Amino acid sequence: MQTAQAADAVPMVNGERLWSRLMQMGAIGATAHGGCNRQALTELDFEGRRLLMQWARPLGCEARVDGIGNLFLHRAGADERLPAVLTGSHLDTQPTGGKFDGVYGVLAGLEVLESLHEQEIRTAHPIELAVWCNEEGSRFPAAMMGSAVWAGRMSIDAAYALKDARGISVREALEQAGVPFERTLAQQPLRAAFEVHIEQGPILEQQHKTIGVVTGVQHMCRNEVLVYGQETHAGTTPMAVRHDPIRVLAQVLPELYRAAERVGTDARMTVGIIETYPGSPNTVPGRLRFTVDLRHPQQQHYRALREALERIVAEALARSQLQGSVRCYWEAPGVSFDERCVEAVRSAADALGYSYMKMISGAGHDSCNVAAIAPTSMIFVPCAGGLSHNEAEQAAATDLAAGANVLLHAMLSLAHTPA
Ligand SMILES: [Zn+2]
């Protein structure tokens, strides 16, 4: 009877241990306002990794660091020829980051490994935990660097050459740390990959849901608009004869907001930088520069937004008889996550009795790169006020445990069954 009960028991993570470890990890690089500054490949980053390895030591996992500083912990499956089921996120933070962004995904993955170990669960497929290097891109300017190199979307030489503000390159930072990393980039075969993360937005909290079943990541691009005018005296030049680039801005902005409204509430349009040259209060500017960040989960609407930007700027330039340009200088195509992995997350949330909703990620994650190689999906949990990349980032221990349990069960559903 007891054996039958034990066999039927639903494996669960230890939520208290997860919380306590989040607080211990958060103490490495702790900031004055309760946040964390543990940037990629710093001494603090390596201290965090050592603490993780110390926790993982009793679990008998094999550890390796690849050529770009990604750390992998491998738990053997019953059949080591089978591809692994992976989870992973990042331990690095923004300079004024929080205790949960990324760190939660790594420590929830450790909870999966530890729970399987404690509960003596042997999976058919191996299980892996990845700590992706330099996800934030704040010290070395390439977000999601480690996963991009691993997935073959960025060359290792381009990544090695990235420098921080003090001129130290990624390669030098890896060597200085004395980490015995492999010079190769073995891309292990994966059956599936999952990442659990705080939402970094307000939707789950507003909708009173515990779990976000993430179906994909939205399309996004950043554009630079330049408009050329003529510098003239602000007092002596009649309005009618000026070549004033700000007239273009005055026409473009209301139309851009209308275009975003037209494609629905999922559209995101942000004018984050507006600069004039020479930037004097009594000179009509000779040049205007502004940026437009556009995002939408659906490709057709995303394309419509990009076309609207081009058309609106072209029309405003023509009306004002000025020269200018629109240039897309960064684009990240959207990702549709694997249907089977999404369903594994949804059914795990359902079976465990957590409230859930399907949603799209507004931010980029390592999983965008992993999805190029392996079937992938993500799990979100609420964070207070949707606040992230902020020292005040907060999440509830019960929600964090729920997300880790969904991760455990989604991974088990693919690690137990034959391919
Ligand atoms: Zn993150």
Side-chain angles (χ1 to χ4, degrees):
M1 189 67 188
Q2 276 214 323
T3 321
Q5 269 179 354
D8 289 348
V10 178
M12 298 291 247
V13 304
N14 182 335
E16 281 170 29
R17 182 172 58 201
L18 172 60
W19 180 263
S20 139
R21 284 179 175 168
L22 279 162
M23 295 308 111
Q24 290 176 68
M25 190 61 82
I28 301 175
T31 58
H33 305 288
C36 214
N37 178 4
R38 195 175 51 246
Q39 295 185 62
L41 301 178
T42 56
E43 180 44 42
L44 291 170
D45 186 13
F46 289 109
E47 195 180 326
R49 289 169 180 231
R50 283 194 295 273
L51 180 59
L52 176 76
M53 296 293 289
Q54 184 190 315
W55 285 329
R57 201 158 294 133
L59 310 181
C61 296
E62 182 195 318
R64 79 184 169 90
V65 179
D66 76 3
I68 195 59
N70 298 316
L71 165 66
F72 298 99
L73 294 174
H74 180 94
R75 181 178 194 262
D79 186 349
E80 277 294 281
R81 290 164 306 181
L82 293 176
V85 175
L86 176 138
T87 187
S89 200
H90 57 98
L91 284 178
D92 68 319
T93 74
Q94 290 282 324
T96 53
K99 292 193 284 284
F100 303 93
D101 175 358
V103 186
Y104 166 49
V106 171
L107 297 184
L110 179 66
E111 265 307 315
V112 168
L113 293 176
E114 186 139 13
S115 301
L116 294 177
H117 180 76
E118 285 173 342
Q119 293 160 50
E120 296 177 4
I121 297 168
R122 189 119 192 255
T123 53
H125 293 252
I127 298 276
E128 284 216 7
L129 171 60
V131 180
W132 300 112
C133 183
N134 186 28
E135 192 275 346
E136 296 290 0
S138 50
R139 180 180 173 201
F140 299 102
M144 301 169 252
M145 179 193 80
S147 56
V149 172
W150 175 86
R153 294 178 127 194
M154 180 182 198
S155 81
I156 195 164
D157 290 326
Y160 279 154
L162 291 166
K163 288 188 174 166
D164 70 5
R166 283 164 48 218
I168 298 169
S169 71
V170 166
R171 186 182 196 114
E172 285 164 345
L174 280 166
E175 282 168 356
Q176 276 169 20
V179 183
F181 61 92
E182 297 165 11
R183 300 286 158 175
T184 54
L185 270 169
Q187 189 188 83
Q188 63 276 49
L190 297 183
R191 181 175 197 206
F194 298 91
E195 180 177 6
V196 62
H197 206 284
I198 56 166
E199 184 202 336
Q200 305 184 280
I203 295 167
L204 289 172
E205 190 178 72
Q206 283 170 2
Q207 304 288 322
H208 305 290
K209 303 286 190 209
T210 305
I211 298 294
V213 179
V214 187
T215 58
V217 180
Q218 67 183 345
H219 303 267
M220 44 192 122
C221 67
R222 279 168 214 158
N223 303 273
E224 178 190 64
V225 182
L226 291 172
V227 183
Y228 300 98
Q230 185 183 38
E231 290 146 47
T232 45
H233 196 291
T236 58
T237 321
M239 300 297 277
V241 300
R242 293 181 180 192
H243 302 288
D244 180 2
I246 304 304
R247 276 199 189 271
V248 173
L249 185 65
Q251 291 172 39
V252 163
L253 287 184
E255 288 194 45
L256 269 183
Y257 280 103
R258 270 197 295 278
E261 268 166 36
R262 265 201 304 277
V263 292
T265 51
D266 284 340
R268 303 281 182 270
M269 190 285 292
T270 307
V271 176
I273 297 173
I274 300 177
E275 286 171 357
T276 59
Y277 178 85
S280 163
N282 57 347
T283 297
V284 176
R287 193 176 71 223
L288 163 71
R289 172 180 177 266
F290 62 98
T291 59
V292 184
D293 179 299
L294 297 175
R295 306 182 189 216
H296 202 290
Q298 284 163 280
Q299 188 161 40
Q300 95 206 66
H301 292 313
Y302 169 71
R303 283 221 188 101
L305 271 176
R306 288 198 58 179
E307 283 160 16
L309 171 66
E310 302 262 353
R311 179 178 44 75
I312 289 166
V313 171
E315 285 172 3
L317 287 170
R319 268 198 299 267
S320 310
Q321 294 184 302
L322 293 176
Q323 298 296 311
S325 59
V326 179
R327 182 175 68 94
C328 171
Y329 64 92
W330 180 81
E331 184 173 36
V335 179
S336 289
F337 285 142
D338 178 78
E339 274 177 31
R340 192 170 177 194
C341 289
V342 170
E343 176 52 24
V345 170
R346 193 209 61 79
S347 61
D350 196 44
L352 293 166
Y354 300 127
S355 62
Y356 64 89
M357 63 181 284
K358 288 196 171 176
M359 62 192 302
I360 286 275
S361 172
H365 293 285
D366 289 311
S367 287
C368 301
N369 290 324
V370 178
I373 299 299
T376 300
S377 74
M378 289 187 74
I379 303 153
F380 279 172
V381 298
C383 55
L387 206 61
S388 183
H389 284 194
N390 189 307
E391 291 171 83
E393 193 178 82
Q394 239 348 306
T398 48
D399 291 340
L400 296 166
N405 279 320
V406 171
L407 176 69
L408 170 64
H409 284 261
M411 291 183 77
L412 278 177
S413 73
L414 280 150
H416 269 326
T417 51

